[in-house]
Amino acid sequence: MHHSELVTVLKERREALGITQAHLAELSDVSLRTLKALEVGKGNPTLETIAKLIEVLGMELKLEIKAPQHDKQ
Amino acid sequence: MHHSELVTVLKERREALGITQAHLAELSDVSLRTLKALEVGKGNPTLETIAKLIEVLGMELKLEIKAPQHDKQ
DNA sequence: GTAAAAAGTGCAACATAATGCTCTTTTAGT
DNA sequence: ACTAAAAGAGCATTATGTTGCACTTTTTAC
């Protein structure tokens, strides 16, 4: 999962939960300015910023050994 | 997966591949200073730094909806 | 079509991640 | 034990992520 893909997933999850950027920003203690920039693919968020957001979004990061090409779907 | 856990996985993967910090730093275009700090849990790496490292380590990030407690093993 | 809410942008200040250099400590091999 | 390689730490500099404020644009609801 690359940067743009991660951004898309975060945004879609927020929308699926039906919460605004402002609300997510407040719940996650990430500034609204930072969240807005992040969702349009600006910048290079820190692990902490991502962690705060996904915690509120009920998500989790996993780090795995990449599957060989022929195993991909 | 939280910060310390991610750090542990990265370090163990590097060691499993039998490459030094210096070598990984060179291959991933992350400075040795940054890699060293990261592996001892100092700081708050950016997504780009993590992405560079896991690319070389043959790993990938996944972002998933958190499984309910009773589904965890 | 209008109004309100939500989303996106520009700018500047502040905080801190990334980096290079040098040095110390730890680990691995003989 | 000795040596060399690898890992970790302190410091200063540079680059950039985070934030708040004010404003514009887009979307949503009536």
Side-chain angles (χ1 to χ4, degrees):
Chain A
M1 168 172 289
H2 295 89
H3 188 175
S4 61
E5 202 178 342
L6 183 140
V7 165
T8 302
V9 171
L10 282 181
K11 183 168 183 171
E12 287 178 353
R13 174 64 173 167
R14 176 179 63 78
E15 290 170 344
L17 292 176
I19 63 180
T20 64
Q21 290 177 339
H23 195 188
L24 174 56
E26 186 184 358
L27 292 174
S28 60
D29 196 36
V30 167
S31 81
L32 181 56
R33 189 68 189 76
T34 296
L35 176 57
K36 284 174 180 296
L38 190 156
E39 283 200 1
V40 292
K42 300 275 181 61
N44 176 23
T46 64
L47 185 55
E48 184 181 8
T49 296
I50 296 171
K52 284 178 177 175
L53 293 173
I54 70 178
E55 172 66 24
V56 171
L57 293 172
M59 305 187 84
E60 61 184 339
L61 273 181
K62 293 191 176 185
L63 180 55
E64 301 173 358
I65 295 177
K66 207 180 291 182
Q69 289 298 328
H70 71 273
D71 281 2
K72 288 190 180 176
Q73 57 178 349
Chain B
M1 168 173 288
H2 295 90
H3 188 176
S4 62
E5 202 177 342
L6 184 140
V7 164
T8 302
V9 171
L10 282 181
K11 183 167 183 172
E12 288 177 351
R13 174 65 174 166
R14 176 179 63 76
E15 290 170 343
L17 292 175
I19 63 180
T20 64
Q21 289 178 339
H23 195 189
L24 174 56
E26 186 185 358
L27 292 174
S28 60
D29 196 35
V30 168
S31 81
L32 181 56
R33 191 68 191 75
T34 297
L35 176 57
K36 283 174 180 297
L38 189 155
E39 284 200 0
V40 292
K42 300 275 181 62
N44 176 23
T46 63
L47 185 57
E48 184 181 10
T49 295
I50 295 171
K52 284 178 177 178
L53 293 173
I54 71 179
E55 172 65 27
V56 172
L57 293 173
M59 305 187 83
E60 62 184 339
L61 274 181
K62 293 192 174 184
L63 181 54
E64 301 174 358
I65 296 177
K66 207 180 291 181
Q69 289 299 327
H70 70 271
D71 281 3
K72 288 191 178 172
Q73 55 177 344

